[in-house]
Amino acid sequence: MHRYHLPSLASFAIAIISQSCHAFQLTPNPSKLHHHRLSSSSSTTTSTSSTTVLHAAVSPGSISDKSYDLAVIGAGPVGVSAALLAARAPHNRNVILIDAPRASGALMNEATGEDLSLGGPTGLFSKALRDTSKRISVTSLKGMGLRDDSVWNEIVTNCVELASFNARDTVRQLEYAGVTYVQGYAAFADSGGSSSLFITDVDQSIATLRADKILIATGSTPFRPGGIPFDGKRVFDSDSINTLTYLPKSVAITGSGIIAIEFAKIFKNLGSDVTLIIRDNIPRNALMKIGLDKDIAATLVADLVRSGIKIERGAQVKKFHIPKDNDKAPIILDLEAKGGGPRSPTAATDVKCDIYIAAVGRKPNTANLNLAGAGIRPDSYGGIEVDSRLQAKANGGDVYAAGDVLGRPFLASTGMAQGYAAIQNMFAEDLVEENGAADDKEDDDESEDGTDGSNACKIGEICMTGENFDPKSLASNPFAFPIGVWSSPEASYYGLSSQQCREMGIDAGEGVALYSECLRGLVFSPNGLLKLVFDKETGQIMGVHICGDDACELIHYGMELVKAERTIEDVLTNLYSAVTFHEMYRIAALAAEDPVGARKRRAAAGKALVRRNRGDTT
């Protein structure tokens, strides 16, 4: 979700939300692309008939020995949004944003050397590729006689265009806000406490700067298990896949989480044969471990199978056989049972593929920051420990951190919220000046009974307001943020599942609506479901779970239902526009009121959908 030094999946305005030590090798026809090139001499934007030129980051040498109110390390969505917030009113701070795009390599245009990932989230490449896979029919292009390299060229061109929109807009915003943007490798100085940074340029020259406050937003990098021969050519992690230069005919992916499923569907949509290798014997259980409701997980797995993706269950790769003298010969993966040993006699013992991707988790990207120089001790995964104000335990107390560097949940949305909170905390005096005296603010926060309102909107001991965004608060609060899985179809959820309700002593019920039960779903996207989890005693909606088209958009209405403590009756009395997916909320509420009748209706709709998926029109 962020990027810097190492790579890293939020708002990416193009329907888009990891990064590696390599640059994405773009090879499309340059005349078809709108490029931007950063130049240090001018703050203007120059246009030509085929190229848009945007001014560049300043060189590290030009800022040597200067002082700033705030230095932000990392120019992903967390770093960029935090820098913009601090530079604008009411803070109006002197801000410098430091990033090393050539090191992160999230999305580089090798023809121009431009960084297309500026301000883009982790998984920018996968989201651009996902969107492109929806817009381009590989089968149709091949049917027209286009070669694979021409098809890949078209795919890459689309990815570049999508990424360019975001990068150009980010540059514009930084310019307008007066943020100084410098490209280089940042690290804390050994003798400068926690307010001094060394910036190393690509030519190895070093500049020094000082800042009153420092925000670390360098994102995360893929976890690389031992024994996997990563080479960035045929064996990739979830970031180095950005370097792929051709359309593979077959792909094998190890992993059962969000990123693995995303890439499985992306490459399947692009016409590749895909094999998903998971250690769990039951794919649904693997998805439930990352928080998905059991029915949502089952729907995602069913879609994978229906798409033609092969799933090797209870398996792991024992050995890699990679041809050294023939790039076109397949990789052979020897499989063994989970934990080692032979697989069952009926299970496959090997998988052949053009490329292999390991998508088995991420870790904070802090290894090259010289944290010890600032007195910061990372945890065993490299994560930075912070207090509730997002402040790190550093010499001088002037270092803050936000986003993936703090560890889970590795989401752009929560990272940006953390960045926002960190800026508000480090420059709290600006807010006092803006809103009046501090005492007046405290009076405003008190309720009529003299309390501070801290008990408002709670279920048990869990606050539903999402006020605190430090890792401990996020990990313990299911109401802190919504979860979105950018697979195809999408999946999302907010609030409690039925199991979580039971664990909290809440007698919970469920109301389920199939996509095929609403007109828009039936006609355009029949596969999927929406579930409302509610308190049977009060009817209050405790959680919303969705799998299907636009699930990551639909969840925000569900989030408001939960946070506003709405009931099933409230949903039933609302009027929803016809031919919209939001009609499913009412259908699910009706199902909660009449579970027996709803099961019969879903059964009938389900049978009709099965016949439709099989091509049976009778």
Side-chain angles (χ1 to χ4, degrees), residues 138-445:
V138 173
T139 302
S140 297
L141 292 177
K142 289 184 176 180
M144 296 167 59
L146 293 180
R147 299 183 309 178
D148 284 356
D149 56 348
S150 297
V151 173
W152 184 248
N153 186 76
E154 186 67 23
I155 292 169
V156 169
T157 298
N158 276 268
C159 288
V160 171
E161 289 176 343
L162 291 173
S164 295
F165 297 148
N166 186 68
R168 279 196 220 103
D169 188 66
T170 299
V171 169
R172 178 190 61 78
Q173 292 188 60
L174 292 173
E175 290 177 349
Y176 189 78
V179 174
T180 301
Y181 171 49
V182 61
Q183 292 183 353
Y185 300 80
F188 287 98
D190 287 324
S191 58
S194 58
S195 61
S196 183
L197 292 173
F198 285 150
I199 312 298
T200 305
D201 204 344
V202 290
D203 62 2
Q204 300 305 306
S205 61
I206 298 176
T208 304
L209 67 84
R210 297 187 63 84
D212 295 336
K213 305 291 183 181
I214 294 175
L215 176 66
I216 302 174
T218 50
S220 63
T221 186
F223 173 69
R224 285 189 163 194
I228 299 179
F230 295 102
D231 59 11
K233 296 179 179 179
R234 303 191 70 181
V235 179
F236 304 91
D237 59 35
S238 57
D239 282 357
S240 62
I241 189 62
N242 299 0
T243 67
L244 185 64
T245 58
Y246 60 95
L247 180 62
K249 290 183 171 62
S250 56
V251 181
I253 303 172
T254 289
S256 56
I258 292 173
I259 297 175
I261 290 175
E262 285 182 357
F263 276 113
K265 285 305 301 280
I266 285 169
F267 281 106
K268 188 62 184 178
N269 289 342
L270 291 174
S272 302
D273 291 328
V274 179
T275 300
L276 197 57
I277 303 168
I278 65 173
R279 289 169 54 84
D280 205 296
N281 287 303
I282 303 176
R284 183 183 68 178
N285 290 350
L287 291 170
M288 290 172 63
K289 290 177 182 177
I290 63 174
L292 291 182
D293 170 84
K294 63 181 187 303
D295 293 325
I296 301 299
T299 301
L300 273 180
V301 173
D303 178 78
L304 293 174
V305 174
R306 186 168 54 248
S307 300
I309 294 172
K310 186 176 182 181
I311 302 176
E312 291 295 342
R313 299 165 170 83
Q316 62 188 34
V317 179
K318 179 181 180 181
K319 189 174 182 180
F320 293 79
H321 301 277
I322 304 174
K324 295 182 179 180
D325 302 323
N326 187 353
D327 291 340
K328 294 185 178 180
I331 299 173
I332 300 177
L333 309 174
D334 291 343
L335 301 183
E336 63 180 354
K338 172 185 175 182
R343 303 188 71 197
S344 67
T346 58
T349 57
D350 62 62
V351 171
K352 295 180 180 179
C353 58
D354 286 342
I355 66 169
Y356 169 85
I357 306 172
V360 289
R362 305 190 67 80
K363 62 179 182 179
N365 172 30
T366 59
N368 299 319
L369 296 176
N370 189 29
L371 295 177
I376 300 173
R377 294 182 180 180
D379 62 25
S380 58
Y381 296 99
I384 298 175
E385 297 183 4
V386 295
D387 59 20
S388 61
R389 301 178 67 250
L390 286 308
Q391 191 170 15
K393 297 177 181 178
N395 298 334
D398 46 16
V399 178
Y400 294 73
D404 287 6
V405 293
L406 303 181
R408 292 181 182 276
F410 296 117
L411 296 174
S413 55
T414 55
M416 293 175 73
Q418 289 168 339
Y420 178 89
I423 297 299
Q424 303 295 63
N425 288 328
M426 68 175 71
F427 299 125
E429 66 272 18
D430 300 335
L431 302 178
V432 172
E433 294 174 3
E434 178 77 8
N435 298 325
D439 290 342
D440 292 340
K441 184 177 185 300
E442 291 176 1
D443 290 341
D444 291 341
D445 286 343

Side-chain angles (χ1 to χ4, degrees), residues 570-577 586:
D570 291 331
V571 176
L572 288 173
T573 56
N574 284 340
L575 180 64
Y576 299 91
S577 295
R586 189 170 190 277

